Amino acid sequence: MEGEEEYRRVLRLLEEHHKFMSRSIPLIASENVVSEAVREAVASDLMSRYAEGWPGERVYAGCKYIDQIELIAIELGKKLLGAEHVDVRPIAGVTANLAAYTAFTEPGDTVISLAIPNGGHITYGKKELGGTAGAVRGLVVENFPFNAEEMNIDADGTRKLVEKLKKEGRKPRVVIFGGSLFLFPHPVKELSDYLKSEGISIMYDGAHVLGLIAGGQFQRPLEEGADVLTGSTHKTLPGPQGGVIASFEKYSERLKAAVFPSNVSNHHLHHVAGKAIAFAEMIAFGKEYAAAVTRNAKALAEGLASRGFKVLGEKNGYTKSHQVVFEAWQYGGGGVVEKLLEEQNIIVNRNLIPGDIKAGRHFKNPGGIRVGVQEVTRLGMGKDEMDEIAEFIYRAVVKGEQVKDKVEELRSRFDTVKYAFESTRKAYEFIKIIQPQS
Ligand SMILES: *Cc1c(COP(=O)(O)O)cnc(C)c1O
């Protein structure tokens, strides 16, 4: 029948992908591996349903179980993030940021955020760059002054920038902390009294570090003065793809309306169930997991630095998050190194780093490689394995050696999901719903 060939092919490719994952060292800083229970939720009938709106105030009938699940997710989210208000409906981190912009800004307002080479995300980008803040919400984006040696926002410089913008009659409406290249906690505490005294709202985009925040291993933005915390639920927080917003009761009505109807109609109910399960896992195992993640990141950074790699953030001990960033321009550039490592089944991503734009490098072959250790930590790896990984990267990148067999051997020793209530299968096992026909 027409279509059947492609149908079979897609099913085969899915299986191939799972095999590839089970032989690789996954080091993409924005990814993770979910538990069997999260996979169960995401594969459930909830993927076919409509709810729209808030639990108890739905637009659609048939939500009696869905409502209970969403309320559990909300309650657990509040506990994990220290929030009075949590919304699990944003279908992505981008959607969560758009909802925060909708609630706290008007088009034409000025905001301050990190430039992309300094760690900013496309959602805070200027209009010229097609960034969500500029091109979608119509915000005028100014960039934080950044100290590349500290690998952090310059707090004094930020105060000066706000004063300058005030003189120009365009006082920022919101200051957006957070980023995609994110090694050290941002100076929220240092700036929050000043920003509040100026009537400037504080947003914190915790997409990357949400699992570390929840596990008590990173700054707690809402306790340091942020008005709203947004994030993704699938990076260091090991849940299904999605977004979340956390804030205070006083902002709850406008934030709720900014999500529905402004930025989602139906939300992804199977992912809400997955979020509830991932949050429960974080309540139970999050402290231990987040501590292991930050320990491993530091160990990997030290392993790379001791082998001669130029690891960013040296002055402050390389990292306090799940990320390690090293210079790759010496080895042909981030794009080249990313490809070379992928051939050895080590999956990392290229990244713009401070100084790249000045040096004429761009995102296709930028100056850096960013790695994250959250996923290998969830597979149970520890400090010794971080040193092994540093050695593999060194041998592949600097010596040009083949390490694929050794990579697969290491991976085969770490093949179940840890920090979960139940783990009965291999981490990347392809679970077939379709029974073989015979
Ligand atoms: C990943 C990321 C996002 C967007 O999240 P998605 O879930 O991919 O939509 C937003 N902000 C930052 C800082 C990110 O790194």
Side-chain angles (χ1 to χ4, degrees), residues 30 92-95 97 121 123-124 178-180 205 207-208 232 234-235 241-242 370:
S30 58
V94 167
T95 317
N97 283 354
H121 184 254
T123 43
Y124 354 125
S180 298
D205 178 356
H208 260 273
S232 302
H234 51 269
K235 296 185 180 179
Q241 295 244 346
R370 181 187 72 171

Side-chain angles (χ1 to χ4, degrees), residues 182-247:
F182 203 173
L183 299 172
F184 304 108
H186 281 168
V188 181
K189 227 181 337 194
E190 290 84 336
L191 284 165
S192 64
D193 285 346
Y194 165 71
L195 294 171
K196 278 181 202 297
S197 74
E198 293 292 342
I200 299 169
S201 300
I202 303 172
M203 175 176 160
Y204 186 105
D205 178 356
H208 260 273
V209 291
L210 204 69
L212 305 180
I213 293 170
Q217 285 292 320
F218 213 69
Q219 64 194 143
R220 301 275 290 173
L222 296 175
E223 286 151 35
E224 293 189 9
D227 295 300
V228 58
L229 163 64
T230 57
S232 302
T233 52
H234 51 269
K235 296 185 180 179
T236 51
L237 199 136
Q241 295 244 346
V244 64
I245 295 176
S247 184

Side-chain angles (χ1 to χ4, degrees), residues 389-401:
I389 292 173
E391 178 70 15
F392 294 156
I393 293 174
Y394 168 73
R395 286 207 198 164
V397 174
V398 180
K399 298 273 181 184
E401 291 176 14

Side-chain angles (χ1 to χ4, degrees), residues 157-345:
T158 301
R159 259 183 228 108
K160 286 182 193 134
L161 174 61
V162 171
E163 292 301 322
K164 173 178 156 279
L165 292 170
K166 266 169 62 188
K167 279 199 194 105
E168 293 168 6
R170 46 194 199 105
K171 183 161 88 174
R173 189 71 174 264
V174 177
V175 164
I176 307 164
F177 291 99
S180 298
L181 192 150
F182 203 173
L183 299 172
F184 304 108
H186 281 168
V188 181
K189 227 181 337 194
E190 290 84 336
L191 284 165
S192 64
D193 285 346
Y194 165 71
L195 294 171
K196 278 181 202 297
S197 74
E198 293 292 342
I200 299 169
S201 300
I202 303 172
M203 175 176 160
Y204 186 105
D205 178 356
H208 260 273
V209 291
L210 204 69
L212 305 180
I213 293 170
Q217 285 292 320
F218 213 69
Q219 64 194 143
R220 301 275 290 173
L222 296 175
E223 286 151 35
E224 293 189 9
D227 295 300
V228 58
L229 163 64
T230 57
S232 302
T233 52
H234 51 269
K235 296 185 180 179
T236 51
L237 199 136
Q241 295 244 346
V244 64
I245 295 176
S247 184
F248 297 93
E249 192 53 46
K250 62 183 172 185
Y251 302 126
S252 65
E253 286 310 314
R254 67 162 125 153
L255 278 167
K256 273 165 74 172
V259 174
F260 173 83
S262 297
N263 285 288
V264 296
S265 62
N266 194 38
H267 51 294
H268 296 172
L269 306 169
H270 52 324
H271 287 210
V272 166
K275 288 172 191 178
I277 287 167
F279 288 174
E281 290 166 353
M282 286 301 289
I283 297 265
F285 311 106
K287 278 208 173 74
E288 203 190 331
Y289 158 75
V293 168
T294 50
R295 222 170 31 235
N296 280 345
K298 192 141 174 92
L300 181 61
E302 284 165 359
L304 288 166
S306 73
R307 287 170 175 85
F309 285 97
K310 185 87 182 59
V311 183
L312 303 195
E314 182 180 3
K315 186 172 177 214
N316 293 313
Y318 304 116
T319 181
K320 286 197 157 64
S321 73
H322 60 304
Q323 293 185 5
V324 177
V325 183
F326 62 92
E327 290 181 2
W329 54 267
Q330 300 91 330
Y331 315 105
V336 171
V337 170
E338 172 189 283
K339 189 99 195 60
L340 181 155
L341 287 172
E342 186 183 324
E343 282 160 12
Q344 303 302 326
N345 284 14

Side-chain angles (χ1 to χ4, degrees), residues 73-189:
I74 290 168
E75 283 315 307
L76 295 176
K78 287 182 187 173
K79 238 186 238 172
L80 283 173
L81 302 171
E84 296 170 359
H85 167 75
V86 160
D87 194 331
V88 292
R89 297 173 300 170
I91 59 170
V94 167
T95 317
N97 283 354
L98 254 177
Y101 298 159
T102 307
F104 286 96
T105 67
E106 293 297 330
D109 283 345
T110 297
V111 298
I112 299 179
S113 64
L114 271 181
I116 289 169
N118 294 336
H121 184 254
I122 48 169
T123 43
Y124 354 125
K126 300 185 186 206
K127 188 173 177 186
E128 310 87 90
L129 301 173
T132 313
V136 181
R137 186 57 178 163
L139 300 173
V140 179
V141 178
E142 292 289 335
N143 289 139
F144 279 116
F146 191 77
N147 183 328
E149 204 189 338
E150 302 284 345
M151 281 306 286
N152 213 330
I153 291 164
D154 172 354
D156 279 338
T158 301
R159 259 183 228 108
K160 286 182 193 134
L161 174 61
V162 171
E163 292 301 322
K164 173 178 156 279
L165 292 170
K166 266 169 62 188
K167 279 199 194 105
E168 293 168 6
R170 46 194 199 105
K171 183 161 88 174
R173 189 71 174 264
V174 177
V175 164
I176 307 164
F177 291 99
S180 298
L181 192 150
F182 203 173
L183 299 172
F184 304 108
H186 281 168
V188 181
K189 227 181 337 194

